[in-house]
Amino acid sequence: MKNKDKVQQENRKALPKFLLILVCSFVAGMLIAGIMIATWETGTDYTLQDVLYEALGMASPWLTWAVTVVCMPIALHYYFRGKRRWQDWDGETDDVLDRAEHELSIGLVVNSVCMVLTMLFYGLATMLLYSWVGYIVAQVGLVVSLVLVVIYQQKTVDLCKRMNPEKRGSVYDVNFQKKWVESCDEAERTIIYRSSYRAYRNMSITLPVLWCVAVVAGLWFDGVGPLAVVLVSIAWLVQTLSYGLESLRLEAPKKQTK
């Protein structure tokens, strides 16, 4: 009975917040629907969609370069800070080495953000294709960005391997992630697993939101279509099955040997 009361108490504590989220979602949905209806009823030839697409079409090619110009110096700053800390390390104080590795990790995060944003703006530039000049600018910007991103990753991983000789793996190896994790100690693996779970939790919120956005965008913008909903749903399904099937595999009772 005590456990039952505890469960009910937790439910009562969480219910108001859950209901508040539902109400806010309903109100937001009504507002979006009202804006959509008002937009349709104006009957203007130049819609919000046209303005948005034109602006993105003009800006996206140059943003592929802007992302690289902004992100790479920041990433290099942390790379050289981490490298200097390691070079000045006396070989005894572990805290110095930990801070050096932390600096390198920050640089890798910035580097990854650079890659994702570059791909985003390149995709927009390709789909909207405001001009052929812009398309060429985006193509060259993508190539330059990806080359710099890969070289940065390779240099950082190589430096980490020099700092920790037990580390294994090359960024050019298709099994790099597996080999790298296998060469990590228990503390490092715990960080990886906890970070992965945080990413899973965040995506469990992000994907449903993106699904709603894709549905609304499909109704509001003519060029979106159902493909956006399909792609978001596929990503959502892959995440759900990946987590669920792996959990079932790990939870399955081991076969008893006679």
Side-chain angles (χ1 to χ4, degrees), residues 25 39 58 110 119 169 213 242:
S25 301
T39 303
M58 294 175 61
V110 176
M119 297 295 289
V213 171
S242 298

Side-chain angles (χ1 to χ4, degrees), residues 26 55 67 87 98 106 118 134 152 160 188 193:
F26 176 77
V67 168
Q87 291 174 338
D98 291 339
I106 295 175
T118 300
Y152 183 90
C160 288
E188 292 170 328
Y193 299 152

Side-chain angles (χ1 to χ4, degrees), residues 207-220:
L207 287 171
V209 172
L210 288 178
W211 184 91
C212 294
V213 171
V215 172
V216 173
L219 295 173
W220 204 343

Side-chain angles (χ1 to χ4, degrees), residues 5-6 15 22-23 35 50 52 57 71 87 100 108 114 116 131 133 153 157 164 166 187 214 219 237 245 250:
D5 293 339
K6 183 178 179 181
L15 183 60
L22 287 181
V23 172
I35 294 172
D50 297 326
L52 179 61
C71 290
Q87 291 174 338
L108 283 174
C114 178
V116 173
S131 69
V133 173
Q153 290 177 340
V157 169
N164 302 277
E166 73 278 4
L219 295 173
L237 183 62
L245 293 177
L250 295 174

